[in-house]
Amino acid sequence: MGASDLSSIGLSVRRKEDYRFLTGAGRFTDDVNEHGQTWAYFLRSPHAHARIRSIDSSKAKAAPGVVAIFTGDDLTGVNGLPCGWLITGTDGKPMNEPPHPVLAQGKVRYVGDGIALVIAETLAQAKDAAELIAVDYEVLPSVVDPAAALKGGAPLIHDGAPGNRCYTWALGDKAATDAAFAKAAHVTKLDIVNNRLIPNAIEPRAAVATYDRADESYTLYVTSQNPHVERLLMTAFVLGLPETKVRVIAPDVGGGFGSKIYLYPEETAMVWASKKVNRPIKWTCDRSEAFLSDAHGRDHVTHAELALDKDGKFLGMRVTTTAAMGAYLSTFASCIPTILYATLLAGQYTTPVIYCEVTAVFTNTAPVDAYRGAGRPEATYVVERLVHTAAVETGVAQDELRRRNFIRKFPYQTPVALMYDIGGYDACLDEAMKIADVNGFAARKADAAKRGKLRGLGYASYIEACGIAPSNIAGALGARAGLYEAGEVRVNPTGGVTVFTGSHSHGQGHETTFSQIVASRLGIPIETVEIVHGDTGRVPFGMGTYGSRSLSVGGSAIMKAMDKIIAKGRKIAAHLLEAAETDIEFKDGKFAVAGTDRSKTFAEVALSAYVPHNYPLDKLEPGLDETAFYDPTNFTFPAGTHICEVEIDPETGVVQIVNFSACDDFGNIINPMIVEGQVHGGLAQGIGQALLERCVYDKESGQLLTGSYMDYAMPRSDDLPSFKVATKVTPCTHNPLGAKGCGEAGAIGAPAALMNAVHDALAASGVKYLDMPATPHRVWQALQTAR
């Protein structure tokens, strides 16, 4: 469809990128093959904790097809992988940040820790050779439980982290919070486990690394959500290479959910090794390997308390959380249970004082980092489980208790650092209750009881902070990178537009939504807009895609660049139309002299910019190409209410979701179809956490027990209902699009809504508390214990 002015904004334009995906024309990293390519395989530790006495690779090096074998001892001059966020503890000291070697040096610290990089002519030859490597281990005791890792006598994972502690960090006024609890009429207390998850993007991680001796440059194809950040961390902090000599390309990427944000050891080792062997090296992670080596998510143990007065008003909240970091600090691991967690504990409520203390701990497990929602799901789960339980304990209706405490005046300064610019929480709750048919629930519950089933209804009124910003404040809080975004808008001589964005699309539909923004602003057909991303050799420096930031931050950068395009277009049009620049108006793809019918189309102005006949070159330079950087002044704050209705079979413990309704406020919406798809996907992942998914390590050996889909349950279509979704709009006040972000909302609200529904259904049977996931076995056991 053609689109002009604002006609495509708010329309469900079909995704431009889908044709190539549906016809098999997508180009993913595994599709990249270079001339003379070799294959990589990583030998990994079978032990959770062990000293490496020796590594003998002599037989492996003599095996057929082997090109080279490298171990940690070979990587001289190579630094460890960096953590991108410095947290300062309550003692005023920086966090313990032990080295994260690219390949293990001296010790292995989790099952899957990389020991050797084997490079061969074929993948089969690389695997065969890896089996010939003899590693002499001294197996050490391991600890996989975060609470156990803090106890005296626990195995020490890093010499540089006494007691396995990374940091203890706090936010809020402890004295004021304690005083609020002292005068409370009621206190609700909960012990909560937020289960560890394995991301499972549909495309496993992969990389192809090439070195060119002619100009001493490197090219890395990689499954990354932020190729510029990958390049910066790899060159400046690990390999010591000039950025100009390294090109990172993230082509089509099949999902990420946070797990492809980070700099991983594998691609780093391959870039280093590509110069050593002077041949391209390819590696594609298999699914079993991904279970072991991808960064995991969540894994919190929390004690939380909510204080209320006699009228049900919240007086204060106390939260103490132990957060697992895994064996090493991943790229943004340190900020997930702090900056992105504790700051969201106010939720949608006017709780006047909050105090949160977080202890981050190392364990003999895969590193933990951001996973869809990244700290916000964990915070929402704590808040909304507390609110649900408080409503039950005080006898106040679930919606009523929330309404008594909703924030209604904006901007609103929370007691945990954030300032909400705008919101409309009542409207989302009202609409969610309407589409969930809450009024008819009693009848449905009674009908279920006649059939011997248990029905429950659960609410979750969530808020999230997206588009982490601004850079200067984030820097003061420990961020070791800027949090802006860049956009370049290049108008071609015939009026078509190419947009280069630092954001990266791995399923979000940027090629469509960004095109809609450009087509609408410039008044040109959407088909004439091309979006380029994912290549450090072509796009300006950008921070990539995560935290639902692409539209509000990346889109705003593009808007600023278009403002510059239009401003220059006015100058050109003024010359062509022999009018004053101040008299030139731009609308519907035309530059016109105000109050007249004299005008030039956008394409005519574009052509004149590149064919500057009779052009005042002393006043206007040729070309129509502008770049802008956008650094937000604040987070954006999507919010909403999710309502889940479940039916439980007490004989089997099976939980069936019979209805799931969500009303979200994402600010202004560019493409409702894409937004709805994002919500559906997030809900599926949130439901997966609450009902099915749980990463488990053996407490004695440290072995991963859920290392395949035989043991790690993923949600399938028959686990999910037909979602009912709606939106309300309060536009963001501080970005030009009024957008807030939508990609993580489903994963944030769904776990609490579902588990609150499960607890509501089980309450009459005497079940007081159940941890996620609510598997049939767990539910059945809880019912038997209660009986």
Side-chain angles (χ1 to χ4, degrees):
M1 61 171 285
S4 63
D5 198 13
L6 296 180
S7 62
S8 72
I9 296 292
L11 296 182
S12 293
V13 176
R14 288 188 178 183
R15 290 180 15 135
K16 296 172 67 175
E17 50 269 76
D18 281 352
Y19 180 81
R20 74 171 185 273
F21 293 140
L22 293 171
T23 57
R27 189 169 190 247
F28 298 86
T29 300
D30 190 56
D31 295 318
V32 176
N33 291 289
E34 302 285 10
H35 178 71
Q37 173 178 288
T38 61
W39 291 82
Y41 179 77
F42 288 89
L43 178 68
R44 300 183 181 276
S45 170
H47 303 292
H49 198 197
R51 285 192 182 88
I52 301 174
R53 290 195 181 107
S54 65
I55 302 175
D56 183 357
S57 57
S58 56
K59 290 184 179 179
K61 288 179 178 177
V66 171
V67 176
I69 296 175
F70 301 105
T71 67
D73 290 340
D74 297 311
L75 273 66
T76 55
V78 175
N79 297 318
L81 303 183
C83 179
W85 204 296
L86 174 66
I87 296 297
T88 300
T90 53
D91 58 2
K93 297 178 181 179
M95 65 188 185
N96 292 319
E97 196 172 355
H100 183 180
V102 174
L103 292 172
Q105 295 176 347
K107 279 178 78 173
V108 290
R109 294 177 172 88
Y110 69 100
V111 175
D113 209 352
I115 294 173
L117 165 59
V118 182
I119 302 169
E121 299 292 349
T122 69
L123 178 59
Q125 289 173 330
K127 288 183 175 181
D128 288 345
E131 293 185 3
L132 299 176
I133 298 174
V135 184
D136 184 11
Y137 297 100
E138 177 190 347
V139 179
L140 303 171
S142 61
V143 59
V144 299
D145 178 77
L150 290 172
K151 293 179 180 178
L156 184 63
I157 299 170
H158 295 279
D159 293 339
N164 296 320
R165 192 181 304 262
C166 180
Y167 56 76
T168 294
W169 173 93
L171 181 65
D173 188 329
K174 186 177 188 303
T177 304
D178 290 343
F181 272 81
K183 65 180 182 180
H186 179 83
V187 175
T188 292
K189 299 180 180 182
L190 281 177
D191 290 303
I192 294 170
V193 175
N194 204 292
N195 41 320
R196 178 184 279 241
L197 303 175
I198 299 174
N200 284 298
I202 194 169
E203 177 200 22
R205 290 188 295 121
V208 179
T210 303
Y211 175 71
D212 187 342
R213 275 190 177 169
D215 60 1
E216 298 184 317
S217 67
Y218 301 79
T219 300
L220 173 67
Y221 286 87
V222 65
T223 48
S224 175
Q225 296 178 217
N226 47 1
H228 272 290
V229 175
E230 172 122 357
R231 182 179 71 167
L232 172 64
L233 296 175
M234 183 184 294
T235 57
F237 295 94
V238 185
L239 298 181
L241 298 170
E243 277 188 273
T244 54
K245 291 297 184 180
V246 179
R247 181 182 181 185
V248 177
I249 302 170
D252 291 324
V253 174
F257 314 124
S259 69
K260 293 174 183 171
I261 295 173
Y262 325 119
L263 177 64
Y264 281 96
E266 290 85 1
E267 61 257 28
T268 307
M270 290 168 61
V271 169
W272 176 86
S274 66
K275 181 178 181 179
K276 298 294 182 182
V277 301
N278 195 31
R279 289 176 62 182
I281 308 170
K282 181 173 183 175
W283 169 75
T284 298
C285 185
D286 65 35
R287 188 62 68 179
S288 296
E289 193 176 15
F291 272 86
L292 290 172
S293 62
D294 287 2
H296 295 172
R298 316 289 192 251
D299 205 356
H300 287 193
V301 178
T302 296
H303 177 75
E305 300 179 355
L306 180 65
L308 301 86
D309 69 13
K310 61 182 179 58
D311 298 317
K313 290 287 289 182
F314 301 161
L315 298 177
M317 184 185 296
R318 283 192 297 227
V319 176
T320 304
T321 293
T322 301
M325 295 289 98
Y328 304 103
L329 284 174
S330 180
T331 306
F332 292 111
S334 56
C335 73
I336 305 306
T338 51
I339 308 302
L340 297 180
Y341 167 69
T343 56
L344 274 299
L345 289 171
Q348 299 184 9
Y349 309 112
T350 57
T351 312
V353 288
I354 297 172
Y355 179 74
C356 177
E357 186 171 287
V358 178
T359 298
V361 57
F362 293 106
T363 57
N364 292 117
T365 61
V368 178
D369 210 315
Y371 173 66
R372 197 170 191 169
R376 282 73 57 87
E378 296 94 312
T380 294
Y381 193 72
V382 168
V383 173
E384 290 304 299
R385 286 291 297 118
L386 278 173
V387 173
H388 173 92
T389 307
V392 171
E393 291 175 351
T394 60
V396 181
Q398 292 290 340
D399 62 313
E400 175 59 24
L401 187 61
R402 286 168 170 80
R403 291 185 202 279
R404 290 184 191 180
N405 292 281
F406 273 163
I407 298 164
R408 295 186 174 88
K409 293 182 180 180
F410 296 91
Y412 180 83
Q413 177 64 57
T414 74
V416 279
L418 298 182
M419 179 177 283
Y420 303 163
D421 63 325
I422 197 168
Y425 309 143
D426 288 282
C428 284
L429 176 59
D430 290 342
E431 184 65 18
M433 292 179 68
K434 178 182 175 182
I435 60 178
D437 187 21
V438 170
N439 290 336
F441 174 70
R444 296 193 296 275
K445 183 180 179 81
D447 177 69
K450 291 178 183 177
R451 294 182 282 108
K453 303 295 175 64
L454 308 173
R455 278 252 177 170
L457 197 67
Y459 294 67
S461 295
Y462 76 91
I463 192 166
E464 57 170 322
C466 300
I468 308 172
S471 292
N472 58 347
I473 293 178
L477 294 173
R480 289 166 167 165
L483 295 166
Y484 52 82
E485 197 47 82
E488 178 188 353
V489 176
R490 182 181 300 170
V491 181
N492 302 308
T494 55
V497 173
T498 302
V499 175
F500 301 87
T501 174
S503 297
H504 185 276
S505 181
H506 40 278
Q508 293 87 348
H510 294 170
E511 292 176 40
T512 304
T513 50
F514 285 170
S515 294
Q516 286 181 259
I517 293 169
V518 173
S520 297
R521 184 76 177 95
L522 300 181
I524 60 177
I526 198 170
E527 295 85 359
T528 64
V529 181
E530 177 193 18
I531 307 297
V532 177
H533 64 88
D535 184 345
T536 63
R538 297 187 66 189
V539 304
F541 191 97
M543 301 307 296
T545 294
Y546 47 84
S548 302
R549 71 189 301 268
S550 292
L551 190 62
S552 62
V553 186
S556 292
I558 293 169
M559 287 290 288
K560 288 187 69 176
M562 285 192 290
D563 288 343
K564 294 181 180 181
I565 291 288
I566 292 168
K568 184 173 181 180
R570 282 196 176 97
K571 296 178 186 294
I572 298 170
H575 168 70
L576 296 175
L577 295 167
E578 298 181 333
E581 181 185 337
T582 54
D583 290 335
I584 301 296
E585 298 176 340
F586 180 72
K587 186 179 180 182
D588 295 336
K590 291 183 178 180
F591 293 92
V593 180
T596 75
D597 60 357
R598 297 166 55 217
S599 66
K600 291 290 182 180
T601 66
F602 183 80
E604 288 174 318
V605 168
L607 183 62
S608 181
Y610 289 96
V611 187
H613 295 165
N614 300 317
Y615 207 72
L617 296 176
D618 58 327
K619 298 178 181 178
L620 278 174
E621 61 182 26
L624 201 52
D625 185 341
E626 298 288 350
T627 298
F629 287 77
Y630 177 72
D631 199 329
T633 58
N634 193 4
F635 289 87
T636 64
F637 297 100
T641 291
H642 294 180
I643 299 178
C644 180
E645 186 173 336
V646 301
E647 186 171 283
I648 298 175
D649 184 343
E651 299 304 316
T652 63
V654 171
V655 177
Q656 179 188 3
I657 304 171
V658 293
N659 185 14
F660 201 109
S661 305
C663 182
D664 303 287
D665 176 4
F666 300 133
N668 291 333
I669 291 174
I670 306 301
N671 188 311
M673 177 186 68
I674 287 177
V675 167
E676 185 171 342
Q678 287 286 305
V679 172
H680 283 205
L683 291 174
Q685 285 184 279
I687 288 168
Q689 175 175 13
L691 273 191
L692 300 160
E693 298 181 54
R694 180 178 173 232
C695 173
V696 180
Y697 285 89
D698 182 80
K699 290 186 177 181
E700 298 299 322
S701 67
Q703 295 293 324
L704 180 63
L705 300 181
T706 52
S708 76
Y709 292 135
M710 295 294 289
D711 304 295
Y712 188 91
M714 293 280 284
R716 301 185 298 185
S717 59
D718 59 355
D719 294 311
L720 307 173
S722 179
F723 299 120
K724 299 175 183 178
V725 298
T727 56
K728 296 292 181 181
V729 177
T730 59
C732 175
T733 62
H734 55 79
N735 70 55
L737 290 167
K740 296 182 181 181
C742 69
E744 297 165 297
I748 292 170
L754 197 158
M755 291 305 292
N756 284 341
V758 169
H759 282 87
D760 184 52
L762 297 177
S765 302
V767 176
K768 299 295 184 183
Y769 184 77
L770 192 70
D771 278 325
M772 295 187 288
T775 61
H777 181 251
R778 276 190 170 182
V779 172
W780 184 87
Q781 268 193 329
L783 284 167
Q784 302 313 305
T785 301
R787 286 172 181 169

Coordinates of all heavy atoms in Angstrom, one line a residue, residues 385 388-389 392-393 398 445 454-457 646 648 755-770 779 782-783 786-787:
R385 N 2.2 -10.5 43.6 CA 1.9 -11.6 44.5 C 1.6 -11.0 45.9 O 0.8 -11.5 46.6 CB 3.1 -12.6 44.6 CG 3.3 -13.5 43.4 CD 2.1 -14.5 43.3 NE 2.1 -15.4 44.4 CZ 1.1 -15.5 45.3 NH1 0.0 -14.8 45.1 NH2 1.3 -16.4 46.3
H388 N -1.9 -9.4 45.8 CA -3.0 -10.5 45.8 C -3.1 -11.1 47.1 O -4.3 -11.2 47.6 CB -2.6 -11.6 44.8 CG -3.5 -12.8 44.8 ND1 -4.6 -12.9 44.0 CD2 -3.4 -13.9 45.6 CE1 -5.2 -14.1 44.3 NE2 -4.5 -14.7 45.3
T389 N -2.0 -11.4 47.8 CA -2.1 -12.0 49.1 C -2.7 -11.1 50.1 O -3.4 -11.5 51.0 CB -0.7 -12.5 49.5 OG1 -0.2 -13.3 48.5 CG2 -0.7 -13.3 50.8
V392 N -6.4 -11.0 49.8 CA -7.0 -12.2 50.4 C -7.0 -12.1 51.9 O -8.0 -12.3 52.6 CB -6.2 -13.4 50.0 CG1 -6.7 -14.7 50.7 CG2 -6.4 -13.7 48.5
E393 N -5.9 -11.7 52.5 CA -5.8 -11.6 54.0 C -6.6 -10.5 54.6 O -7.1 -10.7 55.7 CB -4.3 -11.4 54.3 CG -3.4 -12.6 54.0 CD -1.9 -12.3 54.3 OE1 -1.6 -11.1 54.6 OE2 -1.1 -13.3 54.2
Q398 N -9.9 -7.9 44.9 CA -8.6 -7.7 44.2 C -8.6 -6.4 43.4 O -7.6 -5.6 43.5 CB -8.3 -8.8 43.2 CG -8.1 -10.2 43.9 CD -6.7 -10.2 44.6 OE1 -5.8 -9.4 44.3 NE2 -6.6 -11.1 45.6
K445 N -17.4 -20.2 38.0 CA -16.7 -20.9 39.1 C -17.7 -22.0 39.7 O -17.3 -23.1 40.0 CB -16.3 -19.9 40.2 CG -15.6 -20.5 41.4 CD -15.2 -19.5 42.4 CE -14.5 -20.0 43.6 NZ -13.1 -20.3 43.4
L454 N -11.6 -26.8 40.0 CA -11.4 -25.6 40.8 C -11.1 -24.4 39.9 O -10.3 -24.5 39.0 CB -10.2 -25.8 41.7 CG -10.2 -27.0 42.6 CD1 -8.9 -27.2 43.3 CD2 -11.3 -26.9 43.6
R455 N -11.8 -23.3 40.0 CA -11.6 -22.1 39.2 C -11.0 -21.0 40.0 O -11.3 -20.8 41.2 CB -13.0 -21.6 38.7 CG -13.5 -22.4 37.4 CD -13.4 -21.5 36.2 NE -13.8 -22.3 35.0 CZ -14.0 -21.9 33.8 NH1 -13.9 -20.6 33.6 NH2 -14.3 -22.7 32.8
G456 N -10.1 -20.3 39.3 CA -9.5 -19.1 40.0 C -9.3 -18.0 39.0 O -9.1 -18.2 37.8
L457 N -9.3 -16.8 39.6 CA -9.1 -15.6 38.8 C -7.9 -14.8 39.4 O -7.8 -14.6 40.6 CB -10.3 -14.7 38.9 CG -10.5 -13.6 37.8 CD1 -10.7 -14.2 36.4 CD2 -11.7 -12.7 38.2
V646 N -8.1 -19.6 35.4 CA -7.7 -21.0 35.3 C -8.7 -22.0 35.8 O -9.6 -21.6 36.7 CB -6.4 -21.2 36.0 CG1 -5.3 -20.3 35.5 CG2 -6.5 -21.1 37.5
I648 N -8.6 -25.9 37.4 CA -7.6 -27.0 37.9 C -8.4 -28.3 38.2 O -9.4 -28.3 38.8 CB -6.9 -26.5 39.2 CG1 -6.1 -25.3 38.9 CG2 -6.0 -27.6 39.7 CD1 -5.4 -24.6 40.1
M755 N -0.2 -17.1 38.3 CA 0.0 -17.7 39.7 C -1.0 -17.1 40.7 O -1.4 -17.9 41.6 CB 1.5 -17.4 40.1 CG 2.5 -18.2 39.4 SD 2.2 -20.0 39.3 CE 2.5 -20.4 41.0
N756 N -1.4 -15.9 40.5 CA -2.5 -15.4 41.4 C -3.8 -16.2 41.1 O -4.5 -16.4 42.1 CB -2.7 -13.9 41.2 CG -1.6 -13.1 41.9 OD1 -0.9 -13.6 42.8 ND2 -1.4 -11.8 41.4
A757 N -4.0 -16.5 39.9 CA -5.2 -17.3 39.5 C -5.1 -18.7 40.1 O -6.1 -19.2 40.7 CB -5.4 -17.3 38.0
V758 N -3.9 -19.3 40.1 CA -3.8 -20.6 40.6 C -4.0 -20.6 42.1 O -4.7 -21.4 42.7 CB -2.3 -21.1 40.3 CG1 -2.0 -22.4 41.1 CG2 -2.2 -21.4 38.8
H759 N -3.4 -19.6 42.8 CA -3.6 -19.5 44.2 C -5.1 -19.2 44.6 O -5.6 -19.7 45.6 CB -2.7 -18.4 44.8 CG -1.3 -18.8 45.0 ND1 -0.4 -18.7 44.0 CD2 -0.6 -19.3 46.0 CE1 0.8 -19.1 44.4 NE2 0.7 -19.5 45.7
D760 N -5.8 -18.4 43.8 CA -7.2 -18.2 44.0 C -8.0 -19.5 43.9 O -8.9 -19.8 44.7 CB -7.7 -17.2 43.0 CG -9.2 -16.8 43.2 OD1 -9.5 -16.4 44.4 OD2 -9.9 -16.8 42.3
A761 N -7.6 -20.3 42.9 CA -8.4 -21.6 42.7 C -8.1 -22.6 43.8 O -9.0 -23.3 44.2 CB -7.9 -22.2 41.4
L762 N -6.9 -22.5 44.4 CA -6.5 -23.5 45.4 C -6.8 -23.1 46.8 O -6.7 -23.9 47.7 CB -5.0 -23.8 45.3 CG -4.5 -24.4 44.0 CD1 -3.0 -24.6 44.0 CD2 -5.1 -25.8 43.7
A763 N -7.1 -21.8 47.0 CA -7.3 -21.2 48.3 C -8.3 -22.0 49.2 O -8.1 -22.3 50.3 CB -7.7 -19.8 48.2
A764 N -9.5 -22.4 48.6 CA -10.5 -23.1 49.3 C -10.1 -24.5 49.7 O -10.6 -25.1 50.7 CB -11.8 -23.2 48.5
S765 N -9.0 -25.0 49.1 CA -8.5 -26.3 49.4 C -7.4 -26.3 50.5 O -6.8 -27.3 50.8 CB -8.0 -27.0 48.2 OG -9.0 -27.1 47.2
G766 N -7.1 -25.0 50.9 CA -6.1 -24.9 52.0 C -4.7 -24.7 51.5 O -3.8 -24.7 52.4
V767 N -4.5 -24.6 50.2 CA -3.1 -24.4 49.7 C -2.8 -22.9 49.9 O -3.4 -22.0 49.4 CB -3.0 -24.8 48.3 CG1 -1.6 -24.5 47.7 CG2 -3.3 -26.3 48.1
K768 N -1.7 -22.6 50.6 CA -1.3 -21.2 50.9 C -0.3 -20.7 49.9 O -0.3 -19.5 49.6 CB -0.7 -21.1 52.3 CG -1.7 -21.5 53.4 CD -2.9 -20.6 53.5 CE -3.8 -20.9 54.7 NZ -5.0 -20.1 54.7
Y769 N 0.7 -21.5 49.5 CA 1.7 -21.0 48.7 C 2.2 -22.1 47.7 O 2.4 -23.2 48.1 CB 2.9 -20.4 49.5 CG 3.9 -19.8 48.6 CD1 3.7 -18.5 48.1 CD2 5.1 -20.4 48.3 CE1 4.6 -17.9 47.2 CE2 6.0 -19.9 47.4 CZ 5.8 -18.6 46.9 OH 6.7 -18.0 46.1
L770 N 2.5 -21.6 46.5 CA 3.1 -22.5 45.5 C 4.0 -21.7 44.6 O 3.7 -20.6 44.2 CB 1.9 -23.0 44.6 CG 2.2 -24.2 43.7 CD1 2.4 -25.5 44.4 CD2 1.1 -24.4 42.7
V779 N 1.2 -29.0 41.8 CA -0.2 -28.6 42.2 C -0.8 -29.8 42.9 O -1.4 -29.7 44.0 CB -1.0 -28.2 41.0 CG1 -2.5 -28.0 41.4 CG2 -0.5 -26.9 40.4
A782 N 0.7 -30.2 46.4 CA 0.2 -29.1 47.3 C -1.2 -29.5 47.8 O -1.5 -29.3 49.0 CB 0.2 -27.8 46.6
L783 N -2.0 -30.0 46.9 CA -3.4 -30.3 47.3 C -3.3 -31.5 48.3 O -4.1 -31.5 49.3 CB -4.2 -30.7 46.1 CG -4.7 -29.5 45.2 CD1 -5.2 -30.0 43.9 CD2 -5.8 -28.7 45.9
A786 N -2.2 -30.2 51.7 CA -3.2 -29.4 52.3 C -4.3 -30.3 52.9 O -4.9 -30.0 54.0 CB -3.8 -28.4 51.3
R787 N -4.6 -31.4 52.2 CA -5.6 -32.3 52.7 C -5.2 -33.1 53.9 O -6.0 -33.5 54.7 CB -6.0 -33.3 51.6 CG -6.8 -32.7 50.5 CD -7.0 -33.7 49.3 NE -7.7 -33.1 48.2 CZ -7.8 -33.6 47.0 NH1 -7.2 -34.8 46.7 NH2 -8.5 -33.0 46.1

